[in-house]
Amino acid sequence: MSGSDASATTLGEASERETLKRIFPRLPESRSTIVGPGDDAAVLAAPDGRYVVTTDMMVHGPDFRWAWSAPYDLGWKAAATNLSDVAAMGAVPTALVVAIAAPASTPVSDLEELADGLRDGCAALAPGCGVVGGDLSVSDTFTIAVTAFGDLEGRAPVLRSGARVGDVVAVSGMLGAAATGLRLLFSEAVDAAGEPDRARFERVLAAHPETVTAQLRPRPPIADGPLAAQAGATAMLDLSDGLALDARRVAEASGVGIDLDPGLLGDDVEIALTGGEDHGLFAAFPAGAGLPGGFRAIGVVVPGAGVLVGGRPFDERGGWDPYIGWDGHGG
Amino acid sequence: MSGSDASATTLGEASERETLKRIFPRLPESRSTIVGPGDDAAVLAAPDGRYVVTTDMMVHGPDFRWAWSAPYDLGWKAAATNLSDVAAMGAVPTALVVAIAAPASTPVSDLEELADGLRDGCAALAPGCGVVGGDLSVSDTFTIAVTAFGDLEGRAPVLRSGARVGDVVAVSGMLGAAATGLRLLFSEAVDAAGEPDRARFERVLAAHPETVTAQLRPRPPIADGPLAAQAGATAMLDLSDGLALDARRVAEASGVGIDLDPGLLGDDVEIALTGGEDHGLFAAFPAGAGLPGGFRAIGVVVPGAGVLVGGRPFDERGGWDPYIGWDGHGG
């Protein structure tokens, strides 16, 4: 590549310093910054003397494929999924740190676009949240690890363990859409050998924009996390592994049963129950409390254990495990 | 592998839940924990209303080789290098979150040993600091990302930008030992094809235990970070890319020159100046202030710019850049 085309330079050609100089101006600023990027560490404000922390890593192959996700999409999704975990504690997301390992052949412009996705994801979902630090490494496997922080604003964190018999259980965000999108990608956006294919992807995206975008560029209802805490939610978690499995986690942690009403789970009850990566919020609220924001009732907390659907035990495992069903990388 | 030998189970055979159940009890607890692992996010205490944050990723190939680093060593080093960045702000390390991506063929026992290294590294270097959360993914390339947190205990953070003409510059920790160890590994612990070799490694380790251990299992002087802040350090940073390059960063950020005394840099001045991964602390102190802990004077802050050695400008670049000189993975 010619040095005159700055956007074509790869990580292997540019120094780490040059690369960071191109990326950092594109990143969103955090309202909580006391000391920002550029020193050994950042310093952030924790006005109520506490902070919320969560981390998540996405790996090319099992977690995303370049044939389906543009760098912008990856940046957006890496932000969104971590913001959702912060919101699920009832906290307002304040900041991210981002560590990336990328092949030396990666164009610096890919990282610029990834930074744009981080910026736009934060701006759309959690205004005021920004990137306060990071790390850049070389790897044969493109990997991004985001750690996200949040401010409880003086409230108690909303844990998985507080659901009480008689509570209403509710969700905010779409159920099953991201999983439907993923199924479409694996069935229709692959070539004859089953490998992700960009041309077929474009057709699938055009035909099913809502579900494919729910998978690749999710919009978790971040603001509903703090709203739920303010409304007295007794338990809450991020829906990442499928409603049935995640509801079971709340049931186990709280020592209760959760009975879901299949009539409130949409047209495709099976995928609403078992589809992963919804990144909506699942919460329990005291009976009679108004449901805030985008929350809608889908069931009740009952005596007993586990998850029921229409009063019958639901034992299908659902959800997904990153080590099961993974058979190599591609795309 | 037989299911009866729990230690032989790989990540691909065990579920994520089983794996985490085996790892978590081995991890160190944090004194700052308000809500620990197991929910969407952890909640940590920030008694003075601020917290320090840094992140660093290590990738198999460029950053470590299994032929040379046991999983225990990797856990230790991943903790140590991040703790050092926290200490370099003048903060006391409080907690870590750890994201790991590993091949499905990785024995779960490797992750148990890695957890032991994290635990022992924290216990030895920063007692009270513990792991409050994490993530586990599958990848063809073993990758670990650590994000570390610290408490400034009411003090101002010590930045790179505060060095003033007349200050004494000092270091705590060994200079050049880790780089000497790395040179030995690449020259003597490789086979005829230049690939890392375990048998040769054992001989190199036996012959040069101090430098090889400085490279693989560093012991940064973490407690000296807060001590330097208490003693009035005007600038400080973690020595990660070589003394000359890191001193230049302080000089640039502070708008001063830094004159190092070659008589105070040990027997091998060249490697003291240019060797990376020391993970000691470099700091400037007001003239006449006592140097705390393990700090020893190595030079002075002077008018002008850049780094001088014995009064002469030192222009050798030194240090290392992860994207330069990397030619694939192995070992």
Side-chain angles (χ1 to χ4, degrees), chain B residues 105-177:
Chain B
S105 60
T106 305
V108 175
S109 59
D110 278 7
L111 294 194
E112 292 176 319
E113 289 168 26
L114 193 156
D116 291 346
L118 285 167
R119 180 194 64 215
D120 291 352
C122 285
L125 304 173
C129 180
V131 176
V132 299
D135 187 35
L136 194 52
S137 305
V138 69
S139 173
D140 291 333
T141 307
F142 197 106
T143 305
I144 178 169
V146 173
T147 303
F149 309 106
D151 177 5
L152 288 162
E153 299 181 324
R155 294 181 297 272
V158 184
L159 308 181
R160 302 178 177 193
S161 52
R164 294 167 307 191
V165 173
D167 284 353
V168 172
V169 300
V171 293
S172 177
M174 290 185 288
L175 290 176

Side-chain angles (χ1 to χ4, degrees), chain A residues 60 64-70 181-206 212 216 329-331:
Chain A
H60 186 257
F64 67 95
R65 313 289 179 103
W66 287 132
W68 296 339
S69 291
L182 190 65
R183 285 186 192 181
L184 284 165
L185 293 176
F186 272 109
S187 63
E188 299 181 21
V190 292
D191 64 18
E195 287 298 311
D197 180 88
R198 185 77 197 173
R200 287 185 172 85
F201 166 77
E202 298 290 355
R203 292 198 290 273
V204 174
L205 176 62
V212 171
L216 299 179
H329 72 292

Side-chain angles (χ1 to χ4, degrees), chain A:
Chain A
M1 301 278 173
S2 158
S4 63
D5 181 1
S7 69
T9 308
T10 66
L11 294 186
E13 293 159 351
S15 72
E16 184 177 14
R17 183 177 176 153
E18 284 168 48
T19 303
L20 293 177
K21 207 191 255 182
R22 282 173 59 179
I23 297 170
F24 262 108
R26 309 175 87 102
L27 292 171
E29 284 181 34
S30 162
R31 276 202 295 254
S32 298
T33 301
I34 297 172
V35 175
D39 220 294
D40 294 287
V43 183
L44 297 177
D48 76 358
R50 302 166 303 166
Y51 56 107
V52 165
V53 178
T54 183
T55 193
D56 189 58
M57 188 180 260
M58 294 173 69
V59 179
H60 186 257
D63 296 318
F64 67 95
R65 313 289 179 103
W66 287 132
W68 296 339
S69 291
Y72 180 92
D73 298 326
L74 178 64
W76 178 295
K77 186 168 178 175
T81 54
N82 278 281
L83 297 173
S84 186
D85 279 321
V86 169
M89 301 299 282
V92 175
T94 51
L96 312 174
V97 294
V98 180
I100 292 173
S105 60
T106 305
V108 175
S109 59
D110 278 7
L111 294 194
E112 292 177 318
E113 289 169 26
L114 193 156
D116 292 345
L118 285 166
R119 180 195 63 216
D120 292 352
C122 285
L125 304 173
C129 181
V131 176
V132 298
D135 187 34
L136 193 53
S137 306
V138 68
S139 173
D140 292 332
T141 307
F142 198 106
T143 305
I144 179 169
V146 173
T147 303
F149 309 105
D151 177 5
L152 288 161
E153 299 181 323
R155 295 181 296 272
V158 185
L159 307 181
R160 301 178 178 193
S161 52
R164 294 167 307 192
V165 173
D167 284 352
V168 172
V169 300
V171 293
S172 176
M174 289 186 287
L175 290 175
T180 300
L182 190 65
R183 285 186 192 181
L184 284 165
L185 293 176
F186 272 109
S187 63
E188 299 181 21
V190 292
D191 64 18
E195 287 298 311
D197 180 88
R198 185 77 197 173
R200 287 185 172 85
F201 166 77
E202 298 290 355
R203 292 198 290 273
V204 174
L205 176 62
H208 308 279
E210 188 178 77
T211 55
V212 171
T213 301
Q215 168 57 225
L216 299 179
R217 204 185 292 178
R219 299 185 70 94
I222 304 300
D224 280 352
L227 287 179
Q230 288 161 17
T234 56
M236 183 155 56
L237 94 177
D238 165 55
L239 285 171
S240 55
D241 296 330
L243 172 61
L245 184 55
D246 288 329
R248 190 181 312 280
R249 289 179 173 140
V250 171
E252 282 178 8
S254 300
V256 297
I258 290 177
D259 190 5
L260 302 172
D261 182 341
L264 300 175
L265 297 179
D267 295 336
D268 188 336
V269 174
E270 190 273 338
I271 200 153
L273 284 165
T274 62
E277 297 192 273
D278 287 319
H279 297 299
L281 294 169
F282 175 89
F285 294 92
L291 298 182
F295 279 98
R296 59 193 188 274
I298 58 166
V300 291
V301 178
V302 296
V307 170
L308 305 92
V309 176
R312 295 183 181 188
F314 183 81
D315 287 331
E316 187 176 343
R317 184 178 169 283
W320 81 309
D321 186 302
Y323 289 107
I324 292 175
W326 163 240
D327 57 359
H329 72 292

